[in-house]
Amino acid sequence: GENVEQHPSTLSVQEGDSAVIKCTYSDSASNYFPWYKQELGKRPQLIIDIRSNVGEKKDQRIAVTLNKTAKHFSLHITETQPEDSAVYFCAAAAFSGNTPLVFGKGTRLSVIA
Amino acid sequence: DGGITQSPKYLFRKEGQNVTLSCEQNLNHDAMYWYRQDPGQGLRLIYYSQIVNDFQKGDIAEGYSVSREKKESFPLTVTSAQKNPTAFYLCASSRGPVGNEQFFGPGTRLTVL
């Protein structure tokens, strides 16, 4: 089955700097890669996702890149703000399959003002 | 944040007792999921259901049971066979099993004394 590795487990950046979180996956059939953000004491929420027919997707200050050959995808946050502090989870699944998302273990991002 | 609810928010039980966690959604979603969240462990899938009266084991199903008698409801029972039940439990739902955004409930923190 699918296995998703996420790095780093913790990340601290200065406000205004960029943050990058990387994930690798094992199943070459996976073609859907969402990212969830979980603020302290709140539920996880989808912030961006990418499907394998594109290599990059942007939404304001966040972007996700996908390298299918290397089986890795990354979340990029530019101009970080204190409200970006949260735990971020990547996930992967095969859109055509019947198995649910497999999540990484999460990255705790701290943005220092 | 409406649409999927979990109750109660905090739950305390004595060791050896079974306890049932509630999850209800009014999003008309077919698929529902239960996750366990422990520090540094990410989101681990306990059970999922793609349709009423059907459910499948996830990665850590031992000591748990579920039912899916109604589309809107997916209760989770933590049995006395679960060796380490103290954790944060998240319920989620989606329109389909894969390739669709998962919406999470607010979670239930279970403490077994």
Side-chain angles (χ1 to χ4, degrees), chain A residues 15-64:
Chain A
E15 182 178 0
D17 287 349
S18 295
V20 180
I21 302 170
K22 299 180 180 180
C23 289
T24 60
Y25 62 98
S26 61
D27 189 349
S28 57
S30 289
N31 52 12
Y32 174 60
F33 309 94
W35 286 88
Y36 286 79
K37 175 183 179 182
Q38 185 179 25
E39 297 178 31
L40 188 64
K42 296 191 176 181
R43 68 190 81 188
Q45 290 189 307
L46 179 73
I47 56 171
I48 195 167
D49 58 12
I50 190 169
R51 299 181 194 272
S52 61
N53 56 343
V54 297
E56 183 175 6
K57 185 177 179 180
K58 290 183 178 180
D59 183 2
Q60 300 183 335
R61 295 187 298 106
I62 61 173
V64 58

